[in-house]
Amino acid sequence: MFSLDLICCENDNEIFHDQVVALAPNVPALYELHFGVPMAGAVLSALNTRLDAPTLALILEQLEAKLIFVDYQYTDAALKALELLSRKNVSPPHVVVIPECDKSASSMDHKHIASDLDYNCLLEMGRDDFRIIRPSNECDPISVSYTSGSTGKPKGVVYSHRAAYLNSMAEIFRFEMRQMPVFLWTVDMFRCNGWCLAWAMAAVGGTNICLRNVSAEIIFDAISLHKVTHFCGPPAILNTIANAPATVSSRSPLSRSVNVVVAGSLPNPEILAKVEGLGFNVYDGYGMTEALGPATVRPWKPEPDSPLEIEQEIIRRREGLHNLLIEGVDVKDPKTMKSVPNDGKTIGEVMFRGNILMSGYLKSTETTRETMKGGWFHTGDLGVRHPSGFVQMKDRAKDIIISGGEAVSTLEVEAVLLSHPEVSEAAVVGQPDAVLNEVPCAFVRLKEGFGASAEDIIEFCGDQLPDHMIPKSIVFGELPVNFSGKVQKFFYEGDGQRQHQPCQLGIPLRLSICLQ
Amino acid sequence: MFSLDLICCENDNEIFHDQVVALAPNVPALYELHFGVPMAGAVLSALNTRLDAPTLALILEQLEAKLIFVDYQYTDAALKALELLSRKNVSPPHVVVIPECDKSASSMDHKHIASDLDYNCLLEMGRDDFRIIRPSNECDPISVSYTSGSTGKPKGVVYSHRAAYLNSMAEIFRFEMRQMPVFLWTVDMFRCNGWCLAWAMAAVGGTNICLRNVSAEIIFDAISLHKVTHFCGPPAILNTIANAPATVSSRSPLSRSVNVVVAGSLPNPEILAKVEGLGFNVYDGYGMTEALGPATVRPWKPEPDSPLEIEQEIIRRREGLHNLLIEGVDVKDPKTMKSVPNDGKTIGEVMFRGNILMSGYLKSTETTRETMKGGWFHTGDLGVRHPSGFVQMKDRAKDIIISGGEAVSTLEVEAVLLSHPEVSEAAVVGQPDAVLNEVPCAFVRLKEGFGASAEDIIEFCGDQLPDHMIPKSIVFGELPVNFSGKVQKFFYEGDGQRQHQPCQLGIPLRLSICLQ
C-alpha cells in the first residue's frame, strides 16, 4: 500500500501571483494560454463566456487581474465590465483581443477597447530566449476556476500545480486514453480548465480539435474527419448525439469506438442506449469545480439484452468508482465526522480527501475553512454507502425534500420521471404544504411531439415510488439553467447591486422561467 | 506548463524502518507482500532468486533484516545464508516459509529452517481490526531493490512512497492500460517491484496471473485461458515467443492484441516482425533499477511493407520517448553539466531528473552523492541528442571502445551483428591492440542449425560499418549473463571472500565462459 501525503496546498487567500484572465470559447489561443500563462509565472482564470458584465466586473476586481485576453466575439461584455470597473475607480487590466484564427483583430467585427492589443501581434513579440518561470513550490497556484455553484455568487476556486498535475494524470486513466488520442473540445475549456484536459492532452501527445460551437453535425463531422477518440461534457451532449437527424449520424458512421465522459445527471436510458448503439462508450462522472472536475467515474455499459428496467435501476443508483488518485471518498455525518454504516440506507454527506482538491476559495478563508472542516472536503451532496463500499448519491443537501418527516431524494424521483417514455428532462423541488410541510413538485419537459398529461405522469410515478415520493403536481415547460448549464433549482434574482436572494424554483415560478 | 517540485526524497543512509526480505518467484504471496509489508510500516526487499548464499548473506546483513519470507523452492540458499550470518555473529531474521498455493509448508519438500513459520498460518493470525500504518511522510521508503549493476557488487536502491506512487501511475500510461487489464507476470516481481507494476495493477483493478516459470507454452496458454492483455520482461521473452513451436503458437491464436514491453537491447528485427505478426504490440523500454524500471519507452511498430533495413535502422537508433512523469531526460557533459548540442553526434552522458528516481543507495552516501551530482541522476550510459530532441543511446560509459582515438559504440556494432540472418545473440567488447590500443571483438551466438564463419560475419559488418568499428575477431559460443540476465561484459571472479576483481570478457575468455 503506497500513498502520497495528503498535502493540503492551502490557499492563504492572498494573491502573490499576477492574475491573467481569459474570456474565450474553445479556441486554440485559450489552449495556448493554459501553458503560456503559468510558464510566465502567472495564474490563469478562464472565465465562463456566458457571464454578464456585472459578474465579470466583480470577478476582475476580486482577482485584481493584470491582463485579460478577450475573444473578439466577447468584447462587448468585456467592454461593459471595464466600464463598470472604471466607475468604481478600479484600475482595469490590459486587454488583448483574440481574433479568429489566421486573421488580425483589427479586421474582425468587434467593439474596440482602448489600447487593446492583437493576440497574434503579442505572440510575434515573444522572445526565443525566454526562460520558463517555474513555480517555487508545487503548491503554488496555477489557475483559478470560478464556480457558479448551485446557489448564486461565483466563487474563485484556486488550483495548485500539484493538484492540476495529478488530476491531469488521473484524467488520462479515467478517460482510458492511449498515447496520442484525438480530443474533441465539446467541454468548455473554462470549466475546471476543461476538467484539466488542457494539460492532460499535452502530456499524452494528443491532438486538440477546438470548437467555437457544438452541434450534432459538428461532432459527427469532426469524428469522421479527424478520427476523434474522446470527448466530454455535460449530459446534454448525449441528447444532442441521440437526437441527431439520421442524415447526420448515418453519413459518418464511427469507424471505431469513441469514449464520451459526461458529468451530471444522466439522461434517460433510452438516450443512453441510442448513443451506445451508435458506437460511443459512455462514462458517467460525478464531481465539482472544487475537485478539479469529475471525482468519480464509471463506464455505463448496458448488459446485452438486459431489459431497460435494469438499466434504469443502474442509472438511478448513480454509483461511482472513486477517482484513482483521490485518496478518500466517504459518506459521513458532518457533525461527528464518523462514516455512516455501509447499509445502503443511512444518509450522510459525501466527502473527499486527497491531493486532487482545490487549495481553497480565493479571498474567503472562512468559507474555505468551513468547506474543509475536519480535513475533508464537504461536497454538500447527500449519499449512502452500500455494503459493497460503493457510494450512492442521494441529493444535494439543500435540494432534499422533507415531506411529513420522510426524506425524499429529488434525484431518485427525477430518475423515475426520466424513465417515462415521453419525458425528456425533469427537475423536482419541494412545494410548501400545509400538512406535510413540503411535497415533491416536478418540472418536466416532454419530448417533441408527445403530450403526456400530469395525471399520466403521476400515475407512472405511483407504480414505482412510495407515496411520499410521488410528485403532487407537475409543471410542463423548459427548465431554467444556470451559467454552467445545470438545472437551477435555486436561483438568485440579479439587479445592478447583485443582491443574492435565493428563492426556490417551485415558488416564484414565472420568475424562474423568465430568467431563462 | 505545470510541474511537480523536484523533490529529491533523499536517503539519509540510515535504516529507520524495519526491513522485510522476500526470496520468492512470482507467486501470489510475493504480490501480497507488496501491500502487507508497507501497510505494517516496514520496507520490502524482494531479492533475486538467483542470488547465491554468500551474496544473500551480505544483503541480509546490510539490510539488518528482521524477517525473511522464503519460497519453499529457495530454502536451501536461505539456509546457507543464515548459517553464514550466524558464523559472523549477525542475528538472523525470523523465517516464514511460503508453501505452494493451498498447501502447508510442512507438506512441501524443502529444507526446514529452525523456528520457521508457515505463510498461510501467519495470515490466519492476522487481525481484522489491524490499522494500516501509513508513512509519516511521502518521502519515507517503501522498498529496497537490489541492482546487480553491470559491475559486480549488488547495491541497495531505496524507493520512496512518492516515487513508487508516481511510477505506478506512469506505468499504467506507458503500458497503455485501460481499466481492469489482465497482467501475466513474466517479469520478475523482485526486479524494481516488477517495474512497480505490483502496485499499478492494484490501482487499475487488474488481474494478476502469477507464474513460477516462463515458457512459450505457459505464455500462450495463459493468454488463451485468462485473456491476458499485457506482459513484460527482458528482450529474451520475444525470442521465446518467436521461437515457439507452431503447435504452441497456433493452437491459441490471439483473439485481440496483447501489449508486450521489453527493456534492454532489442533482438533482431526478424524476431520482432515475427512477434508482431502473431498479434503482439511490442514496446521498447530503457531504464535501470535507480529509475524504478523503464524510464523511456517507445512502441516498436514496423511500417507496413517497409524493408527490413529500415526497421534495423530504427532499432539501431534506439531512440526513446521519455517517461511521461520523468521531469527531464538530457545528454550532458558530466564535467561541465552542460547539455550536448542537438547534432546527433556529440556524445555525452544520459541523465535523468525528476520524481521517479531512487532516494539513494542504502548506506552509501558517497556513491549516492556522486551518482546524483549536479541534481541529475548519472546513468553511466553514453548517448547523443538528435535535432528532433530524441535521445539516442550509444553505449555504457565503461563499455565504449576507443580504437585508434575513435569512439566505437559497442551497441551499434551489436545492432549490425544482430541484423545478420544467422546471428541470434551478440556482445562486443574491446580487445587490447598494440597499435590502436583497443579493437572491437565480437562474441556471437548463432541460430540453431546455422554455421556462418568469422570471415562471413566480419565481411557482413564491413558492408555496413566504418573500418574502426568492424570487429577484428569473432568468438562463437554462449554469452555469459549476470544475475539479472544481462550479458556480462565485465564480471567478477567470486570466492568465499567476495573479492571483486573486474576483468574484461574479451581477455580471460575461458573463465568468463565457465562462469555461466
Side-chain angles (χ1 to χ4, degrees), chain A residues 1-7 34-36 38-39 132 134-139 142 161-166 168-169 172-180 196 199-200 202-205 257 259 281 283 297 299 301 321 324-327 353 355, chain B residues 1-7 34-36 38-39 132 134-139 142 161-166 168-169 172-180 196 199-200 202-205 257 259 281 283 297 299 301 321 324-327 353 355:
Chain A
M1 178 81 191
F2 55 34
S3 57
L4 286 183
D5 284 351
L6 294 175
I7 291 188
H34 275 83
F35 298 84
M39 284 160 94
I132 297 169
R134 295 187 178 272
S136 59
N137 183 299
E138 67 190 23
C139 287
I142 187 171
H161 279 258
R162 179 174 163 113
Y165 184 101
L166 291 172
S168 300
M169 295 305 117
I172 295 168
F173 176 68
R174 229 178 288 162
F175 279 67
E176 303 204 300
M177 281 181 179
R178 300 187 60 177
Q179 293 186 27
M180 290 177 257
C196 290
W199 298 304
V204 295
S257 66
N259 291 1
N281 302 319
Y283 298 72
V297 78
K301 301 255 183 215
L321 288 166
L324 174 62
L325 296 182
I326 277 242
E327 185 80 17
R353 177 168 78 161
N355 286 293
Chain B
M1 178 83 195
F2 56 33
S3 57
L4 285 183
D5 283 352
L6 294 175
I7 291 187
H34 275 83
F35 298 84
M39 284 159 94
I132 298 169
R134 294 187 179 272
S136 59
N137 182 301
E138 66 190 24
C139 286
I142 187 171
H161 279 257
R162 179 175 164 113
Y165 183 102
L166 291 173
S168 300
M169 295 305 117
I172 295 168
F173 176 68
R174 229 178 288 161
F175 280 67
E176 303 203 301
M177 281 181 179
R178 300 186 60 178
Q179 293 186 28
M180 290 178 257
C196 291
W199 298 304
V204 295
S257 66
N259 290 2
N281 302 319
Y283 297 73
V297 79
K301 301 257 181 213
L321 287 166
L324 176 62
L325 296 183
I326 276 241
E327 184 79 17
R353 177 168 79 162
N355 286 292

Side-chain angles (χ1 to χ4, degrees), chain A residues 2 70 84 175 191 196 294 355 402 406 409-410 470 492 505:
Chain A
F2 55 34
V70 185
L84 287 172
F175 279 67
R191 209 174 292 291
C196 290
N355 286 293
I402 307 296
E406 296 266 19
S409 155
T410 61
I470 303 168
Y492 65 102
L505 174 64

Side-chain angles (χ1 to χ4, degrees), chain A residues 341-358:
Chain A
N342 284 8
D343 59 6
K345 286 180 198 161
T346 313
I347 291 182
E349 187 171 357
V350 179
M351 300 194 190
F352 295 149
R353 177 168 78 161
N355 286 293
I356 305 187
L357 285 175
M358 63 166 179

Side-chain angles (χ1 to χ4, degrees), chain B residues 480 491-494 501-516:
Chain B
F491 61 94
Y492 64 102
E493 185 186 353
Q501 300 172 323
C503 325
Q504 199 164 358
L505 174 62
I507 321 308
L509 175 64
R510 297 296 138 217
L511 190 59
S512 77
I513 298 299
C514 77
L515 262 187
Q516 262 280 76

Side-chain angles (χ1 to χ4, degrees), chain A residues 425-437:
Chain A
E425 293 174 25
V428 172
V429 297
Q431 188 178 28
D433 185 274
V435 180
L436 301 167
N437 189 37

